[in-house]
Amino acid sequence: MGELDGHLDVGGCTLRFFDAGRGPTADAANEADAAGAAGAAGAAGAAGAAGTRAVVLLHGAGADHTMFEMQAAALGGAGLRVVLVDLRAHGLSRPSAIPLAPELLASDIERLIDHLELGEVSLVGHSLGGNLAQELVRRAPERYGSIAVLDATWNAGPLTVGERAALRLAEPMLQLIPSARLPKLMADASATSERARAALARTFGAMSKREFIDVWRATTEFVHPDASYRTPVPTLLVRGECDTTGNIARAMPAWAAADQLTEVVVPGAGHVVTLDAPGETADALVAFLR
């Protein structure tokens, strides 16, 4: 896949994105050669026309938009307007001159949605992106038609004493890992297939250790237990059967039960289900969003 051709100044960062529904009347800030976003995103663009229902894909911590290649193509083929983005401090949206925080990440995506005039949007978020999707819906549920949360914890879900301790200890433990070893260790822990691990090692390796730890801290700050909160829009939950990240394997079934949601567990997949099981994940998203 080529470079993301859209760009939006969000303060301290230039957010890079690809809008499959943007036609020849795009504004000057987004004029670029669409051939630069070839491959899966290009296939999505052939089907996603301006005015159709839009879906914004939000990647995980340390990853970038390429983790959604097959899913973007499938959703575009199903007639959806697909928007891919590299979140602030990730991929082509690096560097960020402002420290990461949940509020900042959420406002970036809200500004992008407004900039593209997408109207009511569906969100697909993996890990950090899944936490971000939940936060966006909490802030303004009327703006979103549905969300699909992939391999992310339940922001509002209850935490055990052990889980609270694990959140506090995660950053100090990451600090102890040598910088040169961190990308491979994170990739190996995140995926079960060698192809997926290689792709993740590349994206993790593009970030410095300091950058990754800042991203990790922002991810944990999305978690705010609230026993009274219920998900206000149609929601699909997807996780890899072998995902052992954080409390996801416990929190997702609990969330599904509490809010009467559908949970799809993909056999053999790890934390990054879009890369370990791209076809199965695409099928689940198309069936939900179509």
Side-chain angles (χ1 to χ4, degrees), residues 155-168:
N155 286 5
L159 296 174
T160 66
V161 172
E163 289 166 351
R164 291 179 185 275
L167 281 177
R168 292 194 303 270

Side-chain angles (χ1 to χ4, degrees), residues 173-243:
M173 294 297 291
L174 286 172
Q175 294 280 12
L176 295 175
I177 301 173
S179 298
R181 295 184 58 201
L182 186 59
K184 186 176 187 305
L185 284 174
M186 294 301 299
D188 289 349
S190 299
T192 57
S193 71
E194 289 304 316
R195 180 183 56 81
R197 287 174 173 175
L200 291 170
R202 175 186 60 78
T203 53
F204 291 151
M207 303 178 76
S208 70
K209 179 178 175 180
R210 181 69 267 163
E211 286 174 318
F212 183 80
I213 290 175
D214 287 346
V215 169
W216 179 265
R217 182 188 305 115
T219 303
T220 64
E221 290 173 355
F222 279 108
V223 179
H224 291 288
D226 181 352
S228 66
Y229 182 78
R230 289 294 175 266
T231 311
V233 299
T235 302
L236 173 70
L237 307 180
V238 181
R239 64 181 170 92
E241 176 189 34
C242 304
D243 187 356

Side-chain angles (χ1 to χ4, degrees), residues 10-283:
V10 288
C13 171
T14 298
L15 206 66
R16 300 298 299 270
F17 65 89
F18 177 81
D19 174 13
R22 192 174 65 254
T25 59
D27 61 36
N30 296 323
E31 288 178 356
D33 183 2
T52 61
R53 195 154 52 92
V55 56
V56 178
L57 305 180
L58 307 171
H59 62 75
D64 63 19
H65 69 282
T66 60
M67 70 174 295
F68 287 120
E69 285 184 337
M70 180 172 285
Q71 294 79 36
L75 292 168
L80 292 164
R81 177 179 176 180
V82 178
V83 177
L84 291 161
V85 59
D86 279 356
L87 299 177
R88 177 186 291 264
H90 290 78
L92 297 173
S93 299
R94 297 173 60 240
S96 173
I98 302 174
L100 284 184
E103 166 70 27
L104 187 61
L105 290 165
S107 66
D108 285 350
I109 301 305
E110 289 171 340
R111 289 180 63 182
L112 177 62
I113 290 170
D114 290 341
H115 175 71
L116 296 176
E117 300 180 342
L118 297 180
E120 186 181 84
V121 172
S122 291
L123 300 172
V124 174
H126 172 268
S127 196
L128 163 63
N131 300 121
L132 174 55
Q134 293 175 66
E135 175 63 15
L136 288 164
V137 169
R138 186 195 65 79
R139 287 160 62 106
E142 70 281 358
R143 299 186 66 169
Y144 305 99
S146 59
I147 59 172
V149 177
L150 284 54
D151 295 292
T153 195
W154 180 16
N155 286 5
L159 296 174
T160 66
V161 172
E163 289 166 351
R164 291 179 185 275
L167 281 177
R168 292 194 303 270
L169 292 173
E171 183 177 341
M173 294 297 291
L174 286 172
Q175 294 280 12
L176 295 175
I177 301 173
S179 298
R181 295 184 58 201
L182 186 59
K184 186 176 187 305
L185 284 174
M186 294 301 299
D188 289 349
S190 299
T192 57
S193 71
E194 289 304 316
R195 180 183 56 81
R197 287 174 173 175
L200 291 170
R202 175 186 60 78
T203 53
F204 291 151
M207 303 178 76
S208 70
K209 179 178 175 180
R210 181 69 267 163
E211 286 174 318
F212 183 80
I213 290 175
D214 287 346
V215 169
W216 179 265
R217 182 188 305 115
T219 303
T220 64
E221 290 173 355
F222 279 108
V223 179
H224 291 288
D226 181 352
S228 66
Y229 182 78
R230 289 294 175 266
T231 311
V233 299
T235 302
L236 173 70
L237 307 180
V238 181
R239 64 181 170 92
E241 176 189 34
C242 304
D243 187 356
T244 58
T245 305
N247 72 340
I248 293 170
R250 183 196 68 80
M252 266 205 172
W255 184 7
D259 288 3
Q260 298 184 1
L261 305 175
T262 297
E263 181 192 29
V264 176
V265 181
V266 181
H271 180 61
V272 185
V273 70
T274 62
L275 295 178
D276 274 336
E280 294 92 328
T281 305
D283 289 345

